[in-house]
Amino acid sequence: MAFSWTDEQEAIFACKEIRLRVRAFAGASKTTSLVEYTKRHSRRRFLYLSYNRSIADEATGKFPRNVDCFSTHQVAYKAVAAKYKHKLGENLRPSDVKRVLNLDDWNLVRAAIGTVTNFLNSTIEVIHEDHLPQLNGRPVSQMSPSFVDAVFQCSQELWNRMLDPDDLDIPMLHDGYLKLYFLSKPDLSLKYDAVLADEAQDLNGITLGLAKSQSCQVILVGDTHQQLYSFRGSDNALSDPDLDTAVDLYLTKSFRFGPAVATIANILLSYKGETNKVVGAGYPTKVKAVLDSDAVRPALLHRTVMGVIMSALELTSKNKKIFWVGKIDSYKISDIEDLYWLSEGNTSKIKSKRLLKEFKNWDDYVSIAEASKDRDMARAIKIVTSYDHLDEALAQIRKLTVKDERSADVILSTAHRSKGLEFDYVSLEEDFPDPLDPEMSESSRDDEINLLYVAATRAKICLAVNSIIIGMMRDYERRRKISIQMAGN
């Protein structure tokens, strides 16, 4: 039987508008559609932009030769970041900032870091009052003038020291050199006829601003409901008012899963007011409360890194081989090992010299974690204090970790890391917060629904839902019956 493109896909292939937004539900073949688009326009030169390198590397093997595939950070690095390669860093650690700027106020430390983070992700060229974050539930802009002045002063000093190649105390962040690239006002039309911005719902302000500033064709593709990085300053390009003149097209038919998973997806999205429906056009995926014991290589998806590690500890006690999505070291196992030895007072076994430099002992680490309200530190403390002989358990985890997914008994991942992937069998674990919690803010609720939607739509053969989704299904059915009764009256 010959393969045929859907009417939705054909409409995309035929579109020549200078600004095009493609809204694609999970599993709706958005990348396949983009590949076909570039094949049908083989005489044009395309730049495919993704929000991380792994997606760009994977795309390179799919797209034809008239397409260059890079992450936005790769493009920026090539242009402006070479002189900072010796001082690149992932983030600004509160303890580092406190020490380097010689501060004694943790609130000031957190406010300065938040301000710089917002500045790096925005298109405003200087540190501005719009970059001031919230602190302890209160806008910094509403605090005392002296405190606000101190925040601006510290933020500017952090940015200046980040820009100094000789200052090794403050790293140049990846978002920092991306900001520098944006400020250089690059003209991508000099080399490309069109820019394809994938996962457009997760573009940060800088990347979105970069795309909007181009004179060549820009095609933005993504799923509003898969926005997972709003806490990192991502902006949803699919709802940006500056792009309201763009042509909007849709990909609603998912070829990954069948009607049952589509029903779960539609229930989740109904809580966000979505009126378009996900269509399950793939394998008739089953939905259960628990996966069958003979499920092959089930993927256990957690909300938290701690949840993943807890599952790993349980699985290794059963001698199960584990494949970690994103590799084991990205789950901070080495950091946990070092912290365990710190808690035991056995500093000779600690591998991280930085840990020994920053903290006198375990009590010092705990007190700084509490004072700074550092979430990563708090999670690490919980793991270290929850298990006896943690060193032996972690050694067993490493022993049972496999590099080839096909040789694993179980796949472990956070829901965030599962994005863009698919598995035959998926189990949603119990560390997700409840979006129906009346105490949860609307923005947090939408973020958590997005995460559940992403996790649930990874399944191809069978999905095991957790108690959170079961509760939402019951609430949805209750509301549906009430709506029918009211319509009948």
Side-chain angles (χ1 to χ4, degrees):
M1 180 174 163
F3 177 82
S4 60
W5 299 99
T6 67
D7 290 344
E8 290 177 330
Q9 289 170 320
E10 290 290 355
I12 293 169
F13 303 153
C15 186
K16 298 179 181 178
E17 295 293 331
I18 194 71
R19 294 288 183 269
L20 170 62
R21 292 190 295 197
V22 179
R23 303 172 185 273
F25 283 134
S29 299
K30 64 180 178 63
T31 302
T32 301
S33 300
L34 285 180
V35 170
E36 180 65 14
Y37 186 93
T38 58
K39 286 180 178 179
R40 294 197 185 190
H41 299 273
S42 59
R43 293 188 177 182
R44 304 179 70 204
R45 192 75 186 169
F46 294 89
L47 172 62
Y48 170 93
L49 284 178
S50 68
Y51 70 91
N52 69 37
R53 182 168 182 170
S54 61
I55 293 176
D57 289 345
E58 183 181 355
T60 298
K62 297 177 179 179
F63 280 89
R65 295 178 65 182
N66 60 319
V67 184
D68 290 337
C69 300
F70 299 111
S71 71
T72 48
H73 286 89
Q74 280 180 289
V75 174
Y77 184 89
K78 290 179 180 180
V80 302
K83 65 180 180 180
Y84 296 111
K85 61 183 180 181
H86 62 290
K87 59 170 283 182
L88 293 176
E90 295 294 331
N91 51 45
L92 294 172
R93 293 167 57 94
S95 55
D96 287 345
V97 172
K98 181 177 182 294
R99 172 179 53 82
V100 172
L101 299 189
N102 194 27
L103 301 175
D104 56 9
D105 184 344
W106 281 110
N107 283 331
L108 180 55
V109 169
R110 293 200 302 274
I113 291 175
T115 300
V116 171
T117 300
N118 292 338
F119 163 69
L120 295 183
N121 286 304
S122 84
T123 56
I124 301 176
E125 297 188 5
V126 296
I127 294 176
H128 186 273
E129 62 181 12
D130 286 353
H131 300 137
L132 294 172
Q134 289 214 347
L135 191 65
N136 303 322
R138 180 186 173 194
V140 168
S141 58
Q142 296 179 8
M143 297 182 182
S144 69
S146 60
F147 183 79
V148 172
D149 287 344
V151 171
F152 278 123
Q153 182 178 346
C154 291
S155 301
Q156 189 63 56
E157 183 174 356
L158 283 175
W159 177 231
N160 290 341
R161 298 187 69 157
M162 195 183 297
L163 291 173
D164 185 353
D166 297 324
D167 189 331
L168 303 183
D169 289 323
I170 296 297
M172 168 55 75
L173 303 188
H174 296 286
D175 284 342
Y177 64 73
L178 182 58
K179 177 81 172 191
L180 286 176
Y181 180 62
F182 172 79
L183 293 175
S184 72
K185 302 186 186 311
D187 184 359
L188 297 175
S189 67
L190 296 175
K191 185 175 180 180
Y192 299 102
D193 299 299
V195 175
L196 309 174
D198 201 0
E199 302 293 350
Q201 74 283 347
D202 279 327
L203 299 182
N204 66 16
I206 289 292
T207 306
L208 179 54
L210 179 65
K212 290 193 297 185
S213 67
Q214 301 307 310
S215 59
C216 60
Q217 183 187 35
V218 176
I219 301 175
L220 300 151
V221 186
D223 182 353
T224 296
H225 307 300
Q226 292 192 63
Q227 184 180 26
L228 301 185
Y229 300 102
S230 59
F231 67 95
R232 292 183 185 172
S234 68
D235 288 335
N236 192 343
L238 302 176
S239 59
D240 189 299
D242 290 342
L243 294 169
D244 282 348
T245 57
V247 171
D248 284 318
L249 296 176
Y250 293 83
L251 290 172
T252 61
K253 188 176 291 186
S254 177
F255 300 97
R256 178 183 299 147
F257 47 77
V261 171
T263 297
I264 299 297
N266 287 322
I267 287 174
L268 290 170
L269 299 187
S270 72
Y271 285 92
K272 297 181 63 186
E274 177 60 73
T275 55
N276 291 303
K277 297 295 184 182
V278 181
V279 179
Y283 181 87
T285 318
K286 295 180 180 179
V287 175
K288 298 183 176 183
V290 181
L291 291 178
D292 293 337
S293 58
D294 60 352
V296 179
R297 285 188 300 280
L300 309 187
L301 303 186
H302 281 273
R303 175 64 175 84
T304 64
V305 170
M306 191 183 91
V308 174
I309 295 175
M310 301 266 289
S311 277
L313 290 166
E314 181 180 351
L315 289 166
T316 51
S317 70
K318 299 176 182 177
N319 211 38
K320 298 289 186 180
K321 290 181 288 186
I322 301 170
F323 176 82
W324 302 69
V325 173
K327 298 183 180 180
I328 184 173
D329 288 337
S330 66
Y331 292 83
K332 302 184 178 180
I333 297 294
S334 296
D335 292 348
I336 296 296
E337 287 175 329
D338 281 344
L339 288 174
Y340 171 75
W341 292 123
L342 186 67
S343 72
E344 293 289 305
N346 195 339
T347 56
S348 63
K349 292 190 175 182
I350 295 175
K351 297 178 181 179
S352 171
K353 295 180 180 178
R354 183 171 186 168
L355 182 66
L356 292 173
K357 180 181 178 181
E358 292 182 3
F359 305 102
K360 300 174 185 177
N361 50 42
W362 176 248
D363 289 340
D364 187 38
Y365 184 90
V366 172
S367 64
I368 290 177
E370 292 174 349
S372 64
K373 294 182 171 58
D374 188 301
R375 290 182 295 179
D376 288 340
M377 294 174 73
R379 290 169 185 152
I381 290 169
K382 189 169 184 179
I383 294 172
V384 169
T385 57
S386 296
Y387 291 90
D388 295 326
H389 307 295
L390 184 61
D391 58 324
E392 297 175 7
L394 293 176
Q396 183 69 359
I397 285 177
R398 288 193 180 278
K399 182 178 179 181
L400 290 171
T401 292
V402 297
K403 295 181 179 180
D404 187 345
E405 181 178 333
R406 293 168 296 182
S407 63
D409 296 314
V410 180
I411 299 167
L412 287 180
S413 179
T414 59
H416 282 92
R417 287 184 180 274
S418 75
K419 184 180 175 182
L421 303 178
E422 57 186 25
F423 311 96
D424 288 343
Y425 300 91
V426 170
S427 176
L428 304 186
E429 301 304 295
E430 292 293 340
D431 56 344
F432 289 78
D434 185 359
L436 300 184
D437 181 352
E439 298 297 318
M440 185 177 289
S441 68
E442 183 177 354
S443 61
S444 295
R445 182 202 66 184
D446 286 352
D447 287 346
E448 297 304 333
I449 290 175
N450 285 357
L451 197 57
L452 286 167
Y453 163 72
V454 166
T457 54
R458 300 308 96 193
K460 296 168 61 180
I461 295 177
C462 187
L463 168 68
V465 294
N466 57 16
S467 61
I468 299 300
I469 286 187
I470 291 173
M472 296 181 75
M473 292 169 67
R474 289 172 177 164
D475 180 72
Y476 174 85
E477 183 61 20
R478 178 186 62 80
R479 291 189 299 118
R480 190 184 69 83
K481 288 181 179 180
I482 291 174
S483 178
I484 293 173
Q485 291 174 355
M486 293 180 64
N489 295 331

